[in-house]
Amino acid sequence: MKKNLQAKSDIREVPSYTLQEAAHYLRIPLTTLRSWIRGRRYPVKEGQRDFKPLIATLDRSSLLSFFNLVEAHVLSAIRKDHRVPLVSVRKALDYLDRKYPSKHPLADHLFETDGMDLFVREYGHLENISKDGQLAMEKLLHAYLRRIERDPSGLPIKLYPFTRKRQLEEPRTVVIDPTISFGRPVLSGTGIPTQVIAERYKAGESIKELAGDYGLPPSQIEEAIRCELPLEAA
């Protein structure tokens, strides 16, 4: 059996990211992420109903762990192009949880295999989405899952966030690794925080100067700066 994602001694389970940080790193609107983490109220004929969170956190102040960050990354694919209603997402996740119980079902290794197929089929059934629509969702989810690196047990160890406007073929230049720089984005293979590069650029240093200083191609410096841009400017 695979390792349990609930192990509190695992650094990947430690609450580390504010909602604002996570929303920025994942290119997700803050209000959207907040509803996934805290839940929300939605109107029904009888008035209003509470919708429980889609992502379970360990911290009452709504700090996210690295596993939570990966879950939100995958969930953003489901909501990005297909706009699946949150109620239907919840039903599909509940269905998946009955088949493969997990505290973090969207981050679990099983989601990449039978779990994803089950989820896609169930949400398609709930929303009457065509076969073509389900195939498109599978393709999109696979593109997002390719940006997650896993350990031999199948659990996430690195996330390569989108640095642009979540274009599916973006380079994996920036990485979030909970064991490096307190889990903040760094340039892959260097350990250099993107925030440090962006701050130097804002202070007046050119991309060419930064590239020479770090011994890196200008394209990597540009990706580091882009990672730190506000969502609307990326």
Side-chain angles (χ1 to χ4, degrees):
M1 182 177 291
K2 303 293 184 180
K3 292 180 181 179
N4 192 324
L5 285 174
Q6 299 182 43
K8 290 186 179 180
S9 60
D10 192 327
I11 191 173
R12 296 168 293 184
E13 190 69 280
V14 175
S16 304
Y17 307 94
T18 66
L19 285 172
Q20 289 82 0
E21 288 173 332
H24 174 74
Y25 298 156
L26 299 177
R27 297 291 191 259
I28 300 173
L30 178 59
T31 53
T32 297
L33 183 60
R34 183 181 289 115
S35 71
W36 297 351
I37 301 299
R38 296 180 179 172
R40 70 173 190 177
R41 309 197 77 185
Y42 63 97
V44 294
K45 287 184 178 180
E46 298 77 16
Q48 288 189 324
R49 183 173 297 170
D50 290 324
F51 181 80
K52 64 180 181 178
L54 291 167
I55 298 173
T57 62
L58 292 177
D59 192 270
R60 291 185 177 182
S61 65
S62 296
L63 288 174
L64 278 68
S65 69
F66 175 74
F67 284 139
N68 294 148
L69 207 64
V70 172
E71 289 182 283
H73 167 79
V74 175
L75 185 54
S76 67
I78 299 166
R79 295 285 290 164
K80 177 178 180 285
D81 289 335
H82 293 256
R83 304 297 179 185
V84 180
L86 288 178
V87 173
S88 296
V89 173
R90 164 57 61 197
K91 290 179 180 178
L93 283 175
D94 287 344
Y95 175 80
L96 179 64
D97 188 54
R98 289 196 297 273
K99 297 292 183 178
Y100 298 115
S102 172
K103 185 174 182 181
H104 302 290
L106 292 173
D108 197 292
H109 66 284
L110 288 172
F111 189 78
E112 289 205 64
T113 54
D114 294 343
M116 193 186 82
D117 293 335
L118 281 174
F119 179 88
V120 171
R121 288 203 302 272
E122 182 66 9
Y123 99 77
H125 170 71
L126 291 168
E127 290 301 306
N128 295 318
I129 294 174
S130 68
K131 184 176 180 180
D132 287 344
Q134 292 191 33
L135 289 173
M137 170 57 82
E138 289 179 4
K139 182 178 179 181
L140 182 67
L141 281 170
H142 277 301
Y144 272 62
L145 291 170
R146 283 198 299 269
R147 305 187 76 85
I148 301 168
E149 188 173 323
R150 298 177 182 275
D151 63 19
S153 72
L155 300 184
I157 54 175
K158 296 179 183 179
L159 173 64
Y160 296 85
F162 293 106
T163 53
R164 304 174 189 179
K165 294 187 177 179
R166 296 197 294 175
Q167 301 168 5
L168 299 185
E169 300 304 320
E170 287 184 22
R172 304 201 318 175
T173 305
V174 173
V175 64
I176 294 176
D177 181 336
T179 66
I180 298 175
S181 192
F182 302 99
R184 269 51 192 173
V186 300
L187 282 177
S188 181
T190 71
I192 303 170
T194 57
Q195 184 179 14
V196 171
I197 295 175
E199 287 176 350
R200 291 183 61 178
Y201 178 73
K202 291 176 184 177
E205 296 184 66
S206 70
I207 291 176
K208 183 178 180 180
E209 289 172 331
L210 290 168
D213 194 9
Y214 289 112
L216 296 171
S219 60
Q220 290 193 34
I221 300 299
E222 290 172 357
E223 289 300 310
I225 295 169
R226 189 176 283 115
C227 175
E228 295 298 330
L229 290 174
L231 175 60
E232 60 276 7

